[in-house]
């Protein structure tokens, strides 16, 4: 006996695994895109985005590549941290969602993303942004549910 009151063990809901696996899989696909684009695989870029994609990614600004890297790494790491019950899952998910939001705003406003990459890609990427933001909200809700003293 240590003299300290024991904290009750709060069971992790089953859906943590499901949600985390879905988000992780989504970001594995995003990491593949990221790496192939970073390696300037023109066949891949043309196949995914058409000729506009070649032009779009040819002069992609370094600062946006850094933000994109933060988004991808956060999107891969946050679900793993959530499964591991690590307290950093929520901040990493928020960072990833924030990076995705900045990317969407900057690329639509400054790089003519809609015209260069097309409607389907643009809507898909907005959907990824929404999923990432919802995942951050999910992490926040779980954090509060599993640790009510942490506000």
């Amino acid at each position: 006996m240590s003299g300290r009151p024991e904290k009750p063990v709060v069971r992790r809901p089953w859906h943590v695994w499901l949600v985390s696996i879905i988000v992780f899989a989504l970001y594995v696909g995003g990491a593949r895109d990221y790496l192939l684009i970073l390696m300037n695989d023109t066949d891949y870029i043309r196949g995914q985005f058409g000729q506009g994609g070649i032009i779009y990614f040819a002069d992609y600004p370094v600062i946006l590549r850094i933000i994109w890297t933060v988004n991808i790494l956060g999107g891969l790491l946050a679900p793993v941290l959530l499964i591991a019950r690590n307290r950093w899952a929520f901040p990493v998910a928020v960072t990833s969602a924030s990076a995705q939001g900045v990317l969407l705003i900057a690329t639509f406003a400054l790089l003519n993303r809609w015209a260069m990459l097309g409607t389907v890609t643009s809507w898909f990427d907005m959907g990824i942004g929404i999923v990432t933001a919802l995942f951050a909200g999910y992490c926040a809700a779980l954090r509060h549910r599993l640790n009510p003293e942490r506000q």
Side-chain angles (χ1 to χ4, degrees):
M1 288 181 113
S2 65
R4 293 187 311 183
E6 289 187 31
K7 292 167 71 174
V9 177
V10 179
R11 289 185 45 96
R12 178 177 24 197
W14 64 270
H15 46 81
V16 169
W17 282 92
L18 178 65
V19 170
S20 295
I21 289 169
I22 290 169
V23 171
F24 184 79
L26 188 66
Y27 271 90
V28 165
R32 180 179 178 269
D33 280 347
Y34 170 80
L35 291 174
L36 290 170
I37 290 167
L38 193 63
M39 294 183 324
N40 198 28
D41 185 336
T42 53
D43 290 336
Y44 174 78
I45 295 169
R46 188 178 294 109
Q48 287 294 110
F49 310 106
Q51 190 59 33
I54 301 288
I55 298 164
Y56 181 83
F57 289 112
D59 293 321
Y60 203 74
V62 173
I63 189 68
L64 293 181
R65 284 188 193 271
I66 292 168
I67 294 169
W68 192 9
T69 302
V70 169
N71 169 243
I72 294 294
L73 291 176
L76 290 169
L77 189 57
V80 173
L81 292 171
L82 185 62
I83 287 173
R85 294 181 183 219
N86 188 292
R87 67 185 179 94
W88 287 97
F90 171 66
V92 171
V94 168
T95 302
S96 182
S98 299
Q100 179 72 13
V102 168
L103 273 177
L104 289 172
I105 291 167
T107 56
F108 279 110
L110 305 174
L111 300 181
N112 200 17
R113 180 186 188 100
W114 198 281
M116 299 299 285
L117 299 183
T119 304
V120 173
T121 297
S122 296
W123 280 112
F124 181 80
D125 290 346
M126 285 187 277
I128 298 296
I130 292 167
V131 167
T132 305
L134 289 173
F135 181 69
Y138 178 79
C139 288
L142 228 73
R143 183 181 192 191
H144 180 70
R145 176 179 171 189
L146 299 178
N147 296 311
E149 70 276 356
R150 181 180 282 162
Q151 296 296 327

